[in-house]
Amino acid sequence: MHLTHDPGAPAADPISFDDFLKVDIRVGTIVSAEPYPEARKPAYKLLIDFGPAIGQKKSSAQITENHALEDLPGRQVAAVVNFPPRQIGKFMSEVLTLGFTDAAGAVMLFAPDKVVPDGSRLF
């Protein structure tokens, strides 16, 4: 899915500002999180509330190394909400939850420093 997680990789090819605006990145609050033992790589199933305009969406997230399941409900996260749904095993993931890799290559969730309204768009 990703080209590279290498922090030393060069920047991707330039895109226009209009192309950037096509990617709808919103903040939502995790409503529930559960194990996803059937996933090829360790993952959780998340239900995220993006507010009244977008509603609740499901996501499969490979965040098991840095995030305990019980710490996830109530946490805000950022996600791309306008990709088509993607089948991840037997689970349909509706949004792409965003994160960065730590020094060991494990995913850390990307989120605002302070609580913002669910549905807020990145700009």
Side-chain angles (χ1 to χ4, degrees):
M1 172 157 48
H2 305 285
L3 296 177
T4 180
H5 291 294
D6 180 3
D13 292 337
I15 61 171
S16 71
F17 188 70
D18 287 340
D19 287 338
F20 169 73
L21 290 176
K22 291 177 186 176
V23 181
D24 193 351
I25 300 172
R26 304 282 183 119
V27 168
T29 299
I30 298 174
V31 174
S32 65
E34 59 185 79
Y36 186 20
E38 303 87 7
R40 281 192 332 225
K41 295 181 181 177
Y44 296 141
K45 295 179 189 178
L46 305 177
L47 181 63
I48 307 168
D49 185 359
F50 292 97
I54 296 173
Q56 295 185 352
K57 300 289 182 179
K58 298 180 291 183
S59 182
S60 172
Q62 296 173 357
I63 57 172
T64 59
E65 291 183 48
N66 285 321
H67 299 282
L69 198 60
E70 62 272 10
D71 295 337
L72 294 171
R75 179 190 173 113
Q76 285 195 306
V77 294
V80 176
V81 299
N82 67 330
F83 283 155
R86 184 174 179 160
Q87 191 76 41
I88 309 292
K90 295 181 179 182
F91 183 75
M92 183 63 73
S93 189
E94 299 173 302
V95 298
L96 175 64
T97 305
L98 300 176
F100 293 95
T101 56
D102 64 13
V107 179
M108 296 290 302
L109 287 170
F110 180 63
D113 291 336
K114 296 184 180 187
V115 174
V116 298
D118 287 336
S120 295
R121 187 171 180 177
L122 179 75
F123 65 95

